[in-house]
Amino acid sequence: MNNQWSHIQTEIVKNAGTITLNRPEVLNALNTMMVSEIVQAMENFDQDQTVKVIVLKGAGRAFAAGADIDEMLDKNAIELELLNQFSDWDRIARIKKPIIGAVHGFVLGGGFELALCCDILLASQYTEFGFPEAGLGIMPGAGGTQRLTKLIGHARAMKWLLTGERFSAEDAWQYGIVSSIVPDQLLVEETEKMAEAIAKKPPLSVRLIKESVHKANELSLAEGMQQERKNFYLLFSSEDQKEGLRAFKEKRKADFKGR
Amino acid sequence: MLLKKREKLILKADNQEAVSMFETIFYEENHGVATITLNRKDKLNAFTEGMHQELMIALKKAAQEPTVRCLVITGSGKAFSAGEDLDGVTEELDHGEVIRTRYMPVMLQIASLNKPVVAAINGAAAGSGLSLALACDFRLMHEKAKLVQAFIHVGLIPDSANLFYLPKLIGHAKAMELAVFGEKITAQEAKESGLVTRVVNDENWEKEVAQFAAMLAQKPTVAVGLIKRLLQKSWGENLQSYLLEESYSQRIAGKSPDHMEGLAAFKEKRTPDFKGE
């Protein structure tokens, strides 16, 4: 366990760099310090050769129940523009290793936006999702209106964003926001299993697949296909590609080096 | 807002204080059994908004208290519950809103409670009073009690998950019959159709309810809670997702101290002493 942080904890378990939001007394409400620590920890893991996959979870009763209201209370528009706090969030999108989010309890507002930054989400069965911002006279500012809409479509995103209604893990699963729902008691265990499974895959494949999938959100189909093809070709300059195909042919277990 | 404040107070309070704060129900915890007694005797324990609020607080308390391993819901006086208090039913009433804001949370809370819930039907259970009994995991019925699907007599549909549970308990055709004709059901008929677990005579009522609850409170509670959830799942899931859910549940049960105790007791040829953990 690494305690250089004040609002999070990090550790590496079986090649998974794990970040735990650790302000349970305020249901892990996100403030600028916490976001900056999360991003820093992710960038550290991204550079750490022993880390193959990043796991993000929350300590206590919630993943993250929103942003720290106190911090925003007295800000004006110009202060926010100069502070440019959301630029930290943009760095999450540049992380190359896959990020698995394990969410439980409340995933609200900024906490939901953070969850939407993950590549795969596992949710405990009683998780509640929602964007309460509209009711506070503000709106999501860290990708909520954009990522949610791309993920679940205009009509449903509008409904949840405009009414601020909370929705269940079951709904989130049906809309494709979470990849699986597991009992609360097994959330960590199941997340670790998934992380372990991905960590065993050749890292370059994982890396370029992640990059390609992200392009699907950003590029036209034709451009995305081009990008995919280039990444496909690129893998053929890796040792793992040779080893992977050879091992398959020779009916033995591949020994991947990450090169 | 007021309710939230009160809810916090009551959830923090010990049992004695909680009991003193409730106006329409009694709540007590005794030897692993929590009992909620609907307590509007003069109104045959009919539901009001206030009663639902208190019921929710009590249900949450029973859920949160680790020493509680079984919940009994019963009524004081002659009735279990006559259902919604018709004094509050006016032309302007939005029935759908009443269900969403008052009945729905109660039904969901009972279903998600990972502990066995017993309806001790001490007297008449009519309308949503019957629905409440149907939402419980077990039903004990006083020999003189009656069940009535009263809704049809006032031109309404059986609500509060009534029609969700009824066909699962007694089959589609019988559920239709009860809902549409709304005839009184005696304890004997209820027993024969599988609607209630047991019929108890007047003399043994309190003792037998207590014994039944005590028996449940000695079971490995984690496993009981998981059984309850899997049975719920069995109605809506396909086999594959059911089996996945089953594997999660058995993993949780397999890690529980009560499972260890069960194994040890089996090997040592003694009765297990389950702690509900």
PDB file of all heavy atoms in Angstrom, chain A residues 61 122 125-126 170 173 180-186 189-190 193, chain B residues 111-112 114 222 226 229 233 237 244-245 247-249 251-252 255:
ATOM      1  N   ARG A  61     -18.786   3.424   1.694  1.00  0.00           N
ATOM      2  CA  ARG A  61     -20.139   3.106   1.238  1.00  0.00           C
ATOM      3  C   ARG A  61     -20.407   3.463  -0.218  1.00  0.00           C
ATOM      4  O   ARG A  61     -21.458   3.122  -0.755  1.00  0.00           O
ATOM      5  CB  ARG A  61     -21.165   3.835   2.111  1.00  0.00           C
ATOM      6  CG  ARG A  61     -21.365   3.213   3.492  1.00  0.00           C
ATOM      7  CD  ARG A  61     -22.226   4.112   4.355  1.00  0.00           C
ATOM      8  NE  ARG A  61     -23.432   4.531   3.650  1.00  0.00           N
ATOM      9  CZ  ARG A  61     -23.946   5.759   3.703  1.00  0.00           C
ATOM     10  NH1 ARG A  61     -23.372   6.698   4.414  1.00  0.00           N
ATOM     11  NH2 ARG A  61     -25.046   6.047   3.052  1.00  0.00           N
ATOM     12  N   LEU A 122     -17.456  -2.610 -13.613  1.00  0.00           N
ATOM     13  CA  LEU A 122     -18.205  -3.629 -12.896  1.00  0.00           C
ATOM     14  C   LEU A 122     -18.971  -2.910 -11.797  1.00  0.00           C
ATOM     15  O   LEU A 122     -18.418  -2.019 -11.140  1.00  0.00           O
ATOM     16  CB  LEU A 122     -17.271  -4.656 -12.244  1.00  0.00           C
ATOM     17  CG  LEU A 122     -16.659  -5.710 -13.159  1.00  0.00           C
ATOM     18  CD1 LEU A 122     -15.366  -5.213 -13.739  1.00  0.00           C
ATOM     19  CD2 LEU A 122     -16.435  -6.990 -12.386  1.00  0.00           C
ATOM     20  N   GLN A 125     -24.460  -4.910  -7.045  1.00  0.00           N
ATOM     21  CA  GLN A 125     -25.863  -4.975  -7.465  1.00  0.00           C
ATOM     22  C   GLN A 125     -26.753  -3.842  -6.979  1.00  0.00           C
ATOM     23  O   GLN A 125     -27.774  -3.568  -7.581  1.00  0.00           O
ATOM     24  CB  GLN A 125     -26.469  -6.324  -7.102  1.00  0.00           C
ATOM     25  CG  GLN A 125     -26.527  -6.584  -5.627  1.00  0.00           C
ATOM     26  CD  GLN A 125     -26.667  -8.062  -5.327  1.00  0.00           C
ATOM     27  OE1 GLN A 125     -26.087  -8.558  -4.393  1.00  0.00           O
ATOM     28  NE2 GLN A 125     -27.412  -8.775  -6.137  1.00  0.00           N
ATOM     29  N   TYR A 126     -26.395  -3.197  -5.866  1.00  0.00           N
ATOM     30  CA  TYR A 126     -27.272  -2.123  -5.392  1.00  0.00           C
ATOM     31  C   TYR A 126     -26.741  -0.723  -5.717  1.00  0.00           C
ATOM     32  O   TYR A 126     -27.108   0.250  -5.078  1.00  0.00           O
ATOM     33  CB  TYR A 126     -27.539  -2.274  -3.896  1.00  0.00           C
ATOM     34  CG  TYR A 126     -28.251  -3.558  -3.570  1.00  0.00           C
ATOM     35  CD1 TYR A 126     -27.685  -4.517  -2.742  1.00  0.00           C
ATOM     36  CD2 TYR A 126     -29.502  -3.830  -4.135  1.00  0.00           C
ATOM     37  CE1 TYR A 126     -28.343  -5.710  -2.471  1.00  0.00           C
ATOM     38  CE2 TYR A 126     -30.164  -5.017  -3.867  1.00  0.00           C
ATOM     39  CZ  TYR A 126     -29.583  -5.952  -3.036  1.00  0.00           C
ATOM     40  OH  TYR A 126     -30.236  -7.125  -2.776  1.00  0.00           O
ATOM     41  N   GLU A 170     -28.994  -2.399 -12.588  1.00  0.00           N
ATOM     42  CA  GLU A 170     -29.711  -3.168 -13.607  1.00  0.00           C
ATOM     43  C   GLU A 170     -29.926  -2.301 -14.867  1.00  0.00           C
ATOM     44  O   GLU A 170     -29.658  -2.739 -15.985  1.00  0.00           O
ATOM     45  CB  GLU A 170     -31.064  -3.594 -13.024  1.00  0.00           C
ATOM     46  CG  GLU A 170     -31.746  -4.725 -13.735  1.00  0.00           C
ATOM     47  CD  GLU A 170     -30.972  -6.036 -13.650  1.00  0.00           C
ATOM     48  OE1 GLU A 170     -30.442  -6.385 -12.573  1.00  0.00           O
ATOM     49  OE2 GLU A 170     -30.897  -6.681 -14.696  1.00  0.00           O
ATOM     50  N   TRP A 173     -26.704  -1.657 -16.606  1.00  0.00           N
ATOM     51  CA  TRP A 173     -26.267  -2.830 -17.362  1.00  0.00           C
ATOM     52  C   TRP A 173     -27.024  -2.919 -18.688  1.00  0.00           C
ATOM     53  O   TRP A 173     -26.453  -3.152 -19.747  1.00  0.00           O
ATOM     54  CB  TRP A 173     -26.484  -4.106 -16.542  1.00  0.00           C
ATOM     55  CG  TRP A 173     -26.006  -5.324 -17.262  1.00  0.00           C
ATOM     56  CD1 TRP A 173     -24.714  -5.752 -17.376  1.00  0.00           C
ATOM     57  CD2 TRP A 173     -26.810  -6.249 -18.006  1.00  0.00           C
ATOM     58  NE1 TRP A 173     -24.667  -6.896 -18.138  1.00  0.00           N
ATOM     59  CE2 TRP A 173     -25.930  -7.214 -18.534  1.00  0.00           C
ATOM     60  CE3 TRP A 173     -28.179  -6.353 -18.265  1.00  0.00           C
ATOM     61  CZ2 TRP A 173     -26.391  -8.280 -19.316  1.00  0.00           C
ATOM     62  CZ3 TRP A 173     -28.622  -7.409 -19.042  1.00  0.00           C
ATOM     63  CH2 TRP A 173     -27.737  -8.358 -19.558  1.00  0.00           C
ATOM     64  N   SER A 180     -20.740  -5.799 -16.126  1.00  0.00           N
ATOM     65  CA  SER A 180     -21.385  -6.843 -15.340  1.00  0.00           C
ATOM     66  C   SER A 180     -21.789  -6.331 -13.973  1.00  0.00           C
ATOM     67  O   SER A 180     -21.240  -5.355 -13.468  1.00  0.00           O
ATOM     68  CB  SER A 180     -20.494  -8.078 -15.197  1.00  0.00           C
ATOM     69  OG  SER A 180     -19.150  -7.741 -15.227  1.00  0.00           O
ATOM     70  N   ILE A 181     -22.779  -7.026 -13.421  1.00  0.00           N
ATOM     71  CA  ILE A 181     -23.253  -6.717 -12.075  1.00  0.00           C
ATOM     72  C   ILE A 181     -22.884  -7.892 -11.194  1.00  0.00           C
ATOM     73  O   ILE A 181     -23.123  -9.043 -11.556  1.00  0.00           O
ATOM     74  CB  ILE A 181     -24.789  -6.550 -12.064  1.00  0.00           C
ATOM     75  CG1 ILE A 181     -25.215  -5.459 -13.043  1.00  0.00           C
ATOM     76  CG2 ILE A 181     -25.281  -6.230 -10.660  1.00  0.00           C
ATOM     77  CD1 ILE A 181     -26.719  -5.307 -13.164  1.00  0.00           C
ATOM     78  N   VAL A 182     -22.264  -7.611 -10.061  1.00  0.00           N
ATOM     79  CA  VAL A 182     -21.888  -8.692  -9.145  1.00  0.00           C
ATOM     80  C   VAL A 182     -22.344  -8.323  -7.732  1.00  0.00           C
ATOM     81  O   VAL A 182     -22.546  -7.141  -7.438  1.00  0.00           O
ATOM     82  CB  VAL A 182     -20.360  -8.954  -9.152  1.00  0.00           C
ATOM     83  CG1 VAL A 182     -19.906  -9.465 -10.495  1.00  0.00           C
ATOM     84  CG2 VAL A 182     -19.586  -7.699  -8.778  1.00  0.00           C
ATOM     85  N   PRO A 183     -22.513  -9.307  -6.858  1.00  0.00           N
ATOM     86  CA  PRO A 183     -22.887  -8.978  -5.480  1.00  0.00           C
ATOM     87  C   PRO A 183     -21.819  -8.098  -4.829  1.00  0.00           C
ATOM     88  O   PRO A 183     -20.630  -8.234  -5.145  1.00  0.00           O
ATOM     89  CB  PRO A 183     -22.950 -10.340  -4.787  1.00  0.00           C
ATOM     90  CG  PRO A 183     -23.108 -11.333  -5.878  1.00  0.00           C
ATOM     91  CD  PRO A 183     -22.413 -10.760  -7.066  1.00  0.00           C
ATOM     92  N   ASP A 184     -22.255  -7.234  -3.952  1.00  0.00           N
ATOM     93  CA  ASP A 184     -21.373  -6.311  -3.267  1.00  0.00           C
ATOM     94  C   ASP A 184     -20.153  -7.021  -2.668  1.00  0.00           C
ATOM     95  O   ASP A 184     -19.023  -6.567  -2.814  1.00  0.00           O
ATOM     96  CB  ASP A 184     -22.161  -5.614  -2.149  1.00  0.00           C
ATOM     97  CG  ASP A 184     -21.563  -4.270  -1.800  1.00  0.00           C
ATOM     98  OD1 ASP A 184     -20.996  -3.636  -2.709  1.00  0.00           O
ATOM     99  OD2 ASP A 184     -21.643  -3.874  -0.631  1.00  0.00           O
ATOM    100  N   GLN A 185     -20.414  -8.152  -2.029  1.00  0.00           N
ATOM    101  CA  GLN A 185     -19.338  -8.881  -1.323  1.00  0.00           C
ATOM    102  C   GLN A 185     -18.268  -9.385  -2.273  1.00  0.00           C
ATOM    103  O   GLN A 185     -17.161  -9.705  -1.843  1.00  0.00           O
ATOM    104  CB  GLN A 185     -19.900 -10.100  -0.570  1.00  0.00           C
ATOM    105  CG  GLN A 185     -20.954  -9.792   0.469  1.00  0.00           C
ATOM    106  CD  GLN A 185     -22.352  -9.966  -0.097  1.00  0.00           C
ATOM    107  OE1 GLN A 185     -22.644  -9.474  -1.187  1.00  0.00           O
ATOM    108  NE2 GLN A 185     -23.228 -10.625   0.634  1.00  0.00           N
ATOM    109  N   LEU A 186     -18.607  -9.518  -3.556  1.00  0.00           N
ATOM    110  CA  LEU A 186     -17.650 -10.099  -4.503  1.00  0.00           C
ATOM    111  C   LEU A 186     -17.090  -9.083  -5.491  1.00  0.00           C
ATOM    112  O   LEU A 186     -16.360  -9.429  -6.409  1.00  0.00           O
ATOM    113  CB  LEU A 186     -18.311 -11.246  -5.273  1.00  0.00           C
ATOM    114  CG  LEU A 186     -18.824 -12.424  -4.452  1.00  0.00           C
ATOM    115  CD1 LEU A 186     -19.386 -13.503  -5.369  1.00  0.00           C
ATOM    116  CD2 LEU A 186     -17.734 -13.015  -3.575  1.00  0.00           C
ATOM    117  N   GLU A 189     -13.237  -8.979  -5.532  1.00  0.00           N
ATOM    118  CA  GLU A 189     -12.735 -10.269  -6.012  1.00  0.00           C
ATOM    119  C   GLU A 189     -12.953 -10.440  -7.524  1.00  0.00           C
ATOM    120  O   GLU A 189     -12.045 -10.834  -8.264  1.00  0.00           O
ATOM    121  CB  GLU A 189     -13.491 -11.363  -5.247  1.00  0.00           C
ATOM    122  CG  GLU A 189     -13.015 -12.755  -5.487  1.00  0.00           C
ATOM    123  CD  GLU A 189     -13.754 -13.757  -4.585  1.00  0.00           C
ATOM    124  OE1 GLU A 189     -13.773 -13.549  -3.357  1.00  0.00           O
ATOM    125  OE2 GLU A 189     -14.319 -14.722  -5.109  1.00  0.00           O
ATOM    126  N   GLU A 190     -14.148 -10.132  -7.982  1.00  0.00           N
ATOM    127  CA  GLU A 190     -14.453 -10.297  -9.406  1.00  0.00           C
ATOM    128  C   GLU A 190     -13.661  -9.300 -10.256  1.00  0.00           C
ATOM    129  O   GLU A 190     -13.258  -9.616 -11.379  1.00  0.00           O
ATOM    130  CB  GLU A 190     -15.953 -10.135  -9.654  1.00  0.00           C
ATOM    131  CG  GLU A 190     -16.798 -11.312  -9.156  1.00  0.00           C
ATOM    132  CD  GLU A 190     -16.474 -12.624  -9.867  1.00  0.00           C
ATOM    133  OE1 GLU A 190     -16.327 -12.614 -11.097  1.00  0.00           O
ATOM    134  OE2 GLU A 190     -16.344 -13.659  -9.172  1.00  0.00           O
ATOM    135  N   LYS A 193     -10.226 -10.601 -10.579  1.00  0.00           N
ATOM    136  CA  LYS A 193     -10.172 -11.702 -11.556  1.00  0.00           C
ATOM    137  C   LYS A 193     -10.112 -11.163 -12.981  1.00  0.00           C
ATOM    138  O   LYS A 193      -9.359 -11.651 -13.818  1.00  0.00           O
ATOM    139  CB  LYS A 193     -11.406 -12.598 -11.413  1.00  0.00           C
ATOM    140  CG  LYS A 193     -11.268 -13.622 -10.305  1.00  0.00           C
ATOM    141  CD  LYS A 193     -12.485 -14.541 -10.275  1.00  0.00           C
ATOM    142  CE  LYS A 193     -12.491 -15.342  -8.983  1.00  0.00           C
ATOM    143  NZ  LYS A 193     -13.814 -15.897  -8.691  1.00  0.00           N
TER     144      LYS A 193
ATOM    145  N   ALA B 111     -38.269  -6.970  -0.182  1.00  0.00           N
ATOM    146  CA  ALA B 111     -37.669  -7.922  -1.132  1.00  0.00           C
ATOM    147  C   ALA B 111     -36.147  -7.920  -1.031  1.00  0.00           C
ATOM    148  O   ALA B 111     -35.512  -8.958  -1.191  1.00  0.00           O
ATOM    149  CB  ALA B 111     -38.110  -7.589  -2.554  1.00  0.00           C
ATOM    150  N   SER B 112     -35.567  -6.762  -0.751  1.00  0.00           N
ATOM    151  CA  SER B 112     -34.101  -6.707  -0.731  1.00  0.00           C
ATOM    152  C   SER B 112     -33.522  -6.997   0.650  1.00  0.00           C
ATOM    153  O   SER B 112     -32.312  -7.074   0.806  1.00  0.00           O
ATOM    154  CB  SER B 112     -33.610  -5.346  -1.232  1.00  0.00           C
ATOM    155  OG  SER B 112     -33.992  -4.339  -0.337  1.00  0.00           O
ATOM    156  N   ASN B 114     -32.017  -8.998   3.318  1.00  0.00           N
ATOM    157  CA  ASN B 114     -31.346 -10.297   3.238  1.00  0.00           C
ATOM    158  C   ASN B 114     -31.597 -11.153   4.472  1.00  0.00           C
ATOM    159  O   ASN B 114     -30.710 -11.810   4.984  1.00  0.00           O
ATOM    160  CB  ASN B 114     -29.837 -10.102   3.070  1.00  0.00           C
ATOM    161  CG  ASN B 114     -29.509  -9.547   1.708  1.00  0.00           C
ATOM    162  OD1 ASN B 114     -30.231  -9.802   0.748  1.00  0.00           O
ATOM    163  ND2 ASN B 114     -28.451  -8.783   1.617  1.00  0.00           N
ATOM    164  N   VAL B 222     -26.907 -15.764   6.376  1.00  0.00           N
ATOM    165  CA  VAL B 222     -26.333 -15.396   5.070  1.00  0.00           C
ATOM    166  C   VAL B 222     -26.931 -16.293   3.978  1.00  0.00           C
ATOM    167  O   VAL B 222     -27.394 -15.817   2.937  1.00  0.00           O
ATOM    168  CB  VAL B 222     -24.792 -15.532   5.085  1.00  0.00           C
ATOM    169  CG1 VAL B 222     -24.216 -15.329   3.692  1.00  0.00           C
ATOM    170  CG2 VAL B 222     -24.194 -14.529   6.068  1.00  0.00           C
ATOM    171  N   LEU B 226     -29.421 -15.400   0.803  1.00  0.00           N
ATOM    172  CA  LEU B 226     -29.041 -15.730  -0.575  1.00  0.00           C
ATOM    173  C   LEU B 226     -30.111 -16.602  -1.241  1.00  0.00           C
ATOM    174  O   LEU B 226     -30.412 -16.441  -2.430  1.00  0.00           O
ATOM    175  CB  LEU B 226     -27.685 -16.440  -0.591  1.00  0.00           C
ATOM    176  CG  LEU B 226     -26.488 -15.568  -0.197  1.00  0.00           C
ATOM    177  CD1 LEU B 226     -25.262 -16.424   0.080  1.00  0.00           C
ATOM    178  CD2 LEU B 226     -26.181 -14.548  -1.289  1.00  0.00           C
ATOM    179  N   ARG B 229     -32.876 -14.383  -2.349  1.00  0.00           N
ATOM    180  CA  ARG B 229     -32.573 -13.627  -3.565  1.00  0.00           C
ATOM    181  C   ARG B 229     -32.577 -14.510  -4.807  1.00  0.00           C
ATOM    182  O   ARG B 229     -33.058 -14.115  -5.865  1.00  0.00           O
ATOM    183  CB  ARG B 229     -31.235 -12.906  -3.418  1.00  0.00           C
ATOM    184  CG  ARG B 229     -31.162 -11.710  -4.334  1.00  0.00           C
ATOM    185  CD  ARG B 229     -30.063 -10.766  -3.997  1.00  0.00           C
ATOM    186  NE  ARG B 229     -28.780 -11.425  -4.087  1.00  0.00           N
ATOM    187  CZ  ARG B 229     -27.775 -11.213  -3.252  1.00  0.00           C
ATOM    188  NH1 ARG B 229     -27.917 -10.367  -2.267  1.00  0.00           N
ATOM    189  NH2 ARG B 229     -26.640 -11.835  -3.399  1.00  0.00           N
ATOM    190  N   LYS B 233     -34.737 -14.329  -8.228  1.00  0.00           N
ATOM    191  CA  LYS B 233     -34.109 -14.335  -9.557  1.00  0.00           C
ATOM    192  C   LYS B 233     -34.707 -15.422 -10.452  1.00  0.00           C
ATOM    193  O   LYS B 233     -34.754 -15.272 -11.663  1.00  0.00           O
ATOM    194  CB  LYS B 233     -32.608 -14.603  -9.430  1.00  0.00           C
ATOM    195  CG  LYS B 233     -31.851 -13.486  -8.782  1.00  0.00           C
ATOM    196  CD  LYS B 233     -31.293 -12.556  -9.811  1.00  0.00           C
ATOM    197  CE  LYS B 233     -30.597 -11.395  -9.131  1.00  0.00           C
ATOM    198  NZ  LYS B 233     -30.318 -10.295 -10.020  1.00  0.00           N
ATOM    199  N   GLU B 237     -34.845 -14.609 -14.602  1.00  0.00           N
ATOM    200  CA  GLU B 237     -33.579 -14.790 -15.316  1.00  0.00           C
ATOM    201  C   GLU B 237     -33.634 -16.003 -16.238  1.00  0.00           C
ATOM    202  O   GLU B 237     -34.388 -16.945 -15.994  1.00  0.00           O
ATOM    203  CB  GLU B 237     -32.457 -15.043 -14.302  1.00  0.00           C
ATOM    204  CG  GLU B 237     -32.282 -13.951 -13.281  1.00  0.00           C
ATOM    205  CD  GLU B 237     -31.354 -12.846 -13.747  1.00  0.00           C
ATOM    206  OE1 GLU B 237     -30.782 -12.969 -14.843  1.00  0.00           O
ATOM    207  OE2 GLU B 237     -31.213 -11.861 -13.021  1.00  0.00           O
ATOM    208  N   LEU B 244     -25.038 -18.151 -13.134  1.00  0.00           N
ATOM    209  CA  LEU B 244     -23.946 -17.235 -12.796  1.00  0.00           C
ATOM    210  C   LEU B 244     -24.206 -16.629 -11.417  1.00  0.00           C
ATOM    211  O   LEU B 244     -23.334 -16.602 -10.543  1.00  0.00           O
ATOM    212  CB  LEU B 244     -23.839 -16.136 -13.854  1.00  0.00           C
ATOM    213  CG  LEU B 244     -22.725 -15.114 -13.625  1.00  0.00           C
ATOM    214  CD1 LEU B 244     -21.362 -15.781 -13.729  1.00  0.00           C
ATOM    215  CD2 LEU B 244     -22.830 -13.967 -14.623  1.00  0.00           C
ATOM    216  N   GLU B 245     -25.446 -16.185 -11.243  1.00  0.00           N
ATOM    217  CA  GLU B 245     -25.860 -15.610  -9.953  1.00  0.00           C
ATOM    218  C   GLU B 245     -25.704 -16.642  -8.833  1.00  0.00           C
ATOM    219  O   GLU B 245     -25.264 -16.340  -7.736  1.00  0.00           O
ATOM    220  CB  GLU B 245     -27.324 -15.166 -10.079  1.00  0.00           C
ATOM    221  CG  GLU B 245     -27.754 -14.125  -9.093  1.00  0.00           C
ATOM    222  CD  GLU B 245     -26.987 -12.821  -9.254  1.00  0.00           C
ATOM    223  OE1 GLU B 245     -26.769 -12.343 -10.387  1.00  0.00           O
ATOM    224  OE2 GLU B 245     -26.599 -12.291  -8.200  1.00  0.00           O
ATOM    225  N   SER B 247     -23.583 -19.058  -8.760  1.00  0.00           N
ATOM    226  CA  SER B 247     -22.168 -19.250  -8.445  1.00  0.00           C
ATOM    227  C   SER B 247     -21.661 -18.142  -7.518  1.00  0.00           C
ATOM    228  O   SER B 247     -20.900 -18.395  -6.594  1.00  0.00           O
ATOM    229  CB  SER B 247     -21.330 -19.306  -9.731  1.00  0.00           C
ATOM    230  OG  SER B 247     -21.199 -18.015 -10.295  1.00  0.00           O
ATOM    231  N   TYR B 248     -22.117 -16.916  -7.754  1.00  0.00           N
ATOM    232  CA  TYR B 248     -21.744 -15.815  -6.858  1.00  0.00           C
ATOM    233  C   TYR B 248     -22.268 -16.092  -5.451  1.00  0.00           C
ATOM    234  O   TYR B 248     -21.574 -15.905  -4.454  1.00  0.00           O
ATOM    235  CB  TYR B 248     -22.349 -14.487  -7.348  1.00  0.00           C
ATOM    236  CG  TYR B 248     -21.765 -13.931  -8.626  1.00  0.00           C
ATOM    237  CD1 TYR B 248     -22.555 -13.182  -9.491  1.00  0.00           C
ATOM    238  CD2 TYR B 248     -20.428 -14.125  -8.956  1.00  0.00           C
ATOM    239  CE1 TYR B 248     -22.038 -12.637 -10.664  1.00  0.00           C
ATOM    240  CE2 TYR B 248     -19.900 -13.593 -10.126  1.00  0.00           C
ATOM    241  CZ  TYR B 248     -20.710 -12.847 -10.974  1.00  0.00           C
ATOM    242  OH  TYR B 248     -20.194 -12.308 -12.129  1.00  0.00           O
ATOM    243  N   SER B 249     -23.522 -16.526  -5.393  1.00  0.00           N
ATOM    244  CA  SER B 249     -24.159 -16.733  -4.093  1.00  0.00           C
ATOM    245  C   SER B 249     -23.452 -17.834  -3.308  1.00  0.00           C
ATOM    246  O   SER B 249     -23.212 -17.706  -2.110  1.00  0.00           O
ATOM    247  CB  SER B 249     -25.633 -17.109  -4.267  1.00  0.00           C
ATOM    248  OG  SER B 249     -26.314 -16.091  -4.948  1.00  0.00           O
ATOM    249  N   ARG B 251     -20.431 -18.758  -3.651  1.00  0.00           N
ATOM    250  CA  ARG B 251     -19.111 -18.241  -3.263  1.00  0.00           C
ATOM    251  C   ARG B 251     -19.237 -17.449  -1.959  1.00  0.00           C
ATOM    252  O   ARG B 251     -18.412 -17.585  -1.049  1.00  0.00           O
ATOM    253  CB  ARG B 251     -18.549 -17.366  -4.383  1.00  0.00           C
ATOM    254  CG  ARG B 251     -17.289 -16.585  -4.033  1.00  0.00           C
ATOM    255  CD  ARG B 251     -16.069 -17.479  -3.949  1.00  0.00           C
ATOM    256  NE  ARG B 251     -14.863 -16.710  -3.688  1.00  0.00           N
ATOM    257  CZ  ARG B 251     -13.908 -17.086  -2.841  1.00  0.00           C
ATOM    258  NH1 ARG B 251     -14.035 -18.227  -2.172  1.00  0.00           N
ATOM    259  NH2 ARG B 251     -12.835 -16.351  -2.675  1.00  0.00           N
ATOM    260  N   ILE B 252     -20.264 -16.618  -1.881  1.00  0.00           N
ATOM    261  CA  ILE B 252     -20.479 -15.805  -0.672  1.00  0.00           C
ATOM    262  C   ILE B 252     -20.793 -16.717   0.516  1.00  0.00           C
ATOM    263  O   ILE B 252     -20.195 -16.591   1.588  1.00  0.00           O
ATOM    264  CB  ILE B 252     -21.618 -14.787  -0.889  1.00  0.00           C
ATOM    265  CG1 ILE B 252     -21.213 -13.771  -1.958  1.00  0.00           C
ATOM    266  CG2 ILE B 252     -21.966 -14.076   0.418  1.00  0.00           C
ATOM    267  CD1 ILE B 252     -22.350 -12.884  -2.426  1.00  0.00           C
ATOM    268  N   LYS B 255     -17.825 -18.593   1.821  1.00  0.00           N
ATOM    269  CA  LYS B 255     -16.849 -17.833   2.606  1.00  0.00           C
ATOM    270  C   LYS B 255     -17.380 -17.489   4.005  1.00  0.00           C
ATOM    271  O   LYS B 255     -16.682 -16.893   4.800  1.00  0.00           O
ATOM    272  CB  LYS B 255     -16.505 -16.518   1.881  1.00  0.00           C
ATOM    273  CG  LYS B 255     -15.716 -16.741   0.600  1.00  0.00           C
ATOM    274  CD  LYS B 255     -14.902 -15.516   0.195  1.00  0.00           C
ATOM    275  CE  LYS B 255     -15.735 -14.280  -0.097  1.00  0.00           C
ATOM    276  NZ  LYS B 255     -14.910 -13.180  -0.610  1.00  0.00           N
TER     277      LYS B 255
END
